[in-house]
Amino acid sequence: MTYENQHCRGCVILHCRKQNNRSAKSNSNDGIRLTACIATAIAAFMLTACSDGNGIKSFRSSDEAISEYHGFLTNLRKDDKVSVQSLAKAISEWRVLNDSVSSCLARDTAGFSHSYPFAAYREIKDSIRIELCRMAMSKQRSYHDLLYLREQTSPYAHDGELHQAMKEAQPFFASLDSLPIYNKGGKPAVLKRYQLFLQKYAKQGIHDKEALRAFIREEHRHFKAFLQYLPDFADSNIADITKYTEQCCVQILRAADRKELSHKDAMIYLAMRTNLRLLRNAQAAIGNLESGKVKSEKVLHACLLMLVQPFMSMDDLSVSALSEKDKSDYYKLADALPKEMDGLAKRLHLDKKRMADMPMLMMKIYITRL
């Protein structure tokens, strides 16, 4: 399954390679593709979600709002070599302040978006991003730091409706790993059954919440069998798996558009499903590396991508949809990555320093998109 170097995600991998690098393939690409599907539902959810309004500031005028915005920038410039905790606090405070300032400007002007105070607002906002990037790059960061930053700064972190929906879905997802693995017939049969299963649901659709749960449950059984043969699939054509998985995701989102299930359920279940799959992919990659099953350069590249995909693919929703158990497992994965990445760097002749800098680069990409 070919890994697509999409914009900044591709930049992260390219950042680690020397000039004479080789293209990599990944057997877990549908995780990233699915994340794109989930993003489609976010807008619909946000239109119906309620904000608690905590921390929103009220300004008497645009001048007052711009003055405080500039004061925030001035304070950021005083910070040097900040901890990840301080960086997370600064980003969270900025998000609240930015919403307050932009709301004030929208309310207090006649819509002249190319004149003061909008021009001043945009200039200060760009400068704040630059300062936050500088703070992120001011000291070495780890994958643990990256996960902490994303967790603490997600706008969904205190969304009661989201967390209630996630709590209701947790028992279902907790039960998936206890499903029996059916691998009769070996690799060819496992791949064929997986393909036929996805093809069936892509054709018939998913029309309510129970059908969604049934799909995820059965899919996880096929996925677990698939993971058992992961190193052996490096040379297999699994394009149909990717194609039909995407079509199934589209069917889920279409069902939400038709109101056969809620956008909230579609989004939460897809996010939690993706979190689980990316985590199990990465854990399988570590297991295969430690057992010595991985021999070829192609599979080593795939393992590299599988290890970083959970951190490359996470968005505000997915990181807030982690259960406490999965969050703990993600932090364990983050703590295991330095050793695994050093080993891969050695075997693939990659620059260890650049590999170590990947979390900082991901932080910078995250901040520039805020």
Side-chain angles (χ1 to χ4, degrees), residues 73-245:
L73 170 61
T74 300
N75 288 331
L76 286 184
R77 286 171 171 162
K78 299 176 183 177
D79 293 327
D80 188 32
K81 293 186 177 181
V82 300
S83 66
V84 70
Q85 290 82 7
S86 296
L87 178 60
K89 182 180 178 183
I91 291 174
S92 296
E93 289 176 350
W94 173 48
R95 275 186 148 159
V96 173
L97 178 59
N98 183 68
D99 287 346
S100 302
V101 172
S102 61
S103 295
C104 177
L105 266 58
R107 181 181 64 250
D108 196 36
T109 65
F112 299 107
S113 60
H114 298 293
S115 61
Y116 181 86
F118 282 102
Y121 163 73
R122 286 193 295 269
E123 183 177 348
I124 295 171
K125 185 176 182 180
D126 289 342
S127 297
I128 288 174
R129 278 203 188 96
I130 291 171
E131 288 304 310
L132 290 172
C133 286
R134 175 191 61 79
M135 292 163 66
M137 305 290 282
S138 66
K139 58 189 298 186
Q140 196 70 35
R141 307 294 183 183
S142 66
Y143 287 97
H144 192 286
D145 293 335
L146 175 63
L147 181 57
Y148 175 86
L149 183 73
R150 297 302 307 269
E151 178 191 354
Q152 296 298 314
T153 59
S154 169
Y156 296 103
H158 305 292
D159 189 319
E161 184 181 357
L162 168 70
H163 289 285
Q164 180 59 36
M166 185 183 72
K167 184 177 179 181
E168 293 171 1
Q170 279 177 3
F172 169 76
F173 282 94
S175 70
L176 295 182
D177 283 332
S178 63
L179 294 172
I181 298 176
Y182 183 63
N183 56 6
K184 183 178 179 180
K187 185 183 76 169
V190 165
L191 191 61
K192 186 64 175 178
R193 283 193 294 268
Y194 197 0
Q195 177 184 332
L196 290 175
F197 160 77
L198 292 170
Q199 188 176 12
K200 170 188 171 184
Y201 269 91
K203 182 178 180 180
Q204 74 180 31
I206 297 166
H207 300 289
D208 54 39
K209 187 174 179 177
E210 285 308 308
L212 173 62
R213 288 163 64 98
F215 166 76
I216 292 175
R217 184 184 298 108
E218 188 63 23
E219 184 199 31
H220 196 73
R221 289 187 63 198
H222 291 288
F223 175 66
K224 287 174 66 177
F226 180 87
L227 280 183
Q228 287 195 321
Y229 298 98
L230 200 55
D232 301 327
F233 284 124
D235 296 316
S236 300
N237 183 0
I238 54 175
D240 283 345
I241 299 293
T242 302
K243 179 180 71 173
Y244 291 128
T245 297

